[in-house]
């Protein structure tokens, strides 16, 4: 078995529809979705606000690379175009594989040119941690610690303060 936490975000076009598309394309592997949060852009601040959420997915046959392939397929379906000149630029859909656990519930560690697990910057991003806490209140980011402890880092205070819950935008999935 393989379990993955994915972070989904959009700040171009119909942001809400793009998040719904990602959840729909991830299909029956989705077991939990967080609430949606409107967040200021991170890294490159000259762009529109994002909608962000987290997804917990399970698939007995999925390897870490499979989660990355599914994430990229979702982005492609939403019409994402990668701009090599603008790393943290706007996008129709961004799906990041944050962490993966194996059948023994052990974190999977990967470090190659295509995929790094756990995500190397997740511990620095309130827009990843806060939605993840919605679906795993006692969750841990492998190699970094408890999500609640990470989110309480003073370095994330401004990012957290800039996040707005959007209960008017529920993500639907088939359990």
């Amino acid at each position: 078995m393989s379990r993955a936490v994915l972070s989904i975000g959009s700040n171009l076009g119909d942001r809400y529809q793009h998040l719904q598309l990602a959840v729909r394309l991830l299909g029956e592997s989705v077991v939990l979705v967080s609430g949606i949060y409107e967040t200021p852009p991170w890294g490159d601040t000259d762009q529109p606000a994002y909608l962000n959420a987290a997804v917990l997915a399970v698939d007995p046959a999925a390897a870490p690379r499979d989660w990355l392939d599914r994430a990229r397929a979702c982005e492609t379906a939403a019409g994402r175009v990668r701009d090599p000149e603008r790393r943290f630029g706007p996008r129709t859909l961004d799906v990041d594989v944050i962490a993966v656990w194996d059948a023994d519930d052990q974190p999977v560690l990967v470090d190659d040119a295509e995929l790094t697990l756990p995500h190397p910057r997740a511990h620095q991003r309130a827009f990843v941690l806060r939605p993840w806490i919605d679906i795993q209140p006692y969750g841990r980011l492998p190699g970094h610690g408890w999500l609640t402890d990470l989110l309480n880092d003073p370095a994330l205070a401004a990012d957290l303060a800039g996040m707005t819950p959007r209960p008017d935008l529920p993500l639907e999935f088939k359990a």
Side-chain angles (χ1 to χ4, degrees):
M1 176 180 82
S2 175
R3 176 171 51 98
V5 171
L6 307 168
S7 176
I8 59 176
S10 173
N11 77 334
L12 290 179
D14 190 331
R15 303 173 303 163
Y16 180 49
Q17 289 294 327
H18 293 308
L19 297 186
Q20 289 179 309
L21 174 65
V23 171
R24 189 170 58 253
L25 291 175
L26 291 167
E28 293 180 4
S29 68
V30 176
V31 294
L32 291 171
V33 296
S34 73
I36 292 177
Y37 293 81
E38 189 149 17
T39 64
W42 192 93
D44 180 345
T45 58
D46 186 24
Q47 58 182 306
Y50 277 82
L51 291 181
N52 289 101
V55 175
L56 179 65
V58 175
D59 183 338
R65 181 63 162 187
D66 296 325
W67 292 115
L68 179 62
D69 291 344
R70 291 176 190 186
R72 288 184 175 165
C74 290
E75 292 174 345
T76 299
R80 176 167 178 184
V81 177
R82 293 181 184 274
D83 181 351
E85 302 297 318
R86 197 169 179 193
R87 181 173 182 196
F88 298 114
R91 54 213 51 189
T92 54
L93 182 63
D94 185 35
V95 181
D96 287 331
V97 182
I98 303 301
V100 174
W101 293 264
D102 66 17
D104 296 320
D105 206 32
Q106 296 301 306
V108 176
L109 305 178
V110 176
D111 189 7
D112 66 36
E114 294 281 319
L115 178 64
T116 302
L117 291 174
H119 190 287
R121 291 170 299 282
H123 66 286
Q124 301 169 331
R125 296 179 174 168
F127 68 84
V128 170
L129 300 171
R130 181 61 195 93
W132 186 359
I133 287 172
D134 282 359
I135 58 176
Q136 290 189 314
Y138 301 103
R140 292 179 67 123
L141 177 59
H144 293 280
W146 297 103
L147 301 179
T148 51
D149 290 344
L150 295 171
L151 197 57
N152 284 323
D153 182 336
L156 296 182
D159 291 343
L160 186 59
M163 295 178 66
T164 304
R166 293 295 306 269
D168 57 312
L169 302 174
L171 283 173
E172 305 281 330
F173 72 100
K174 295 181 181 182

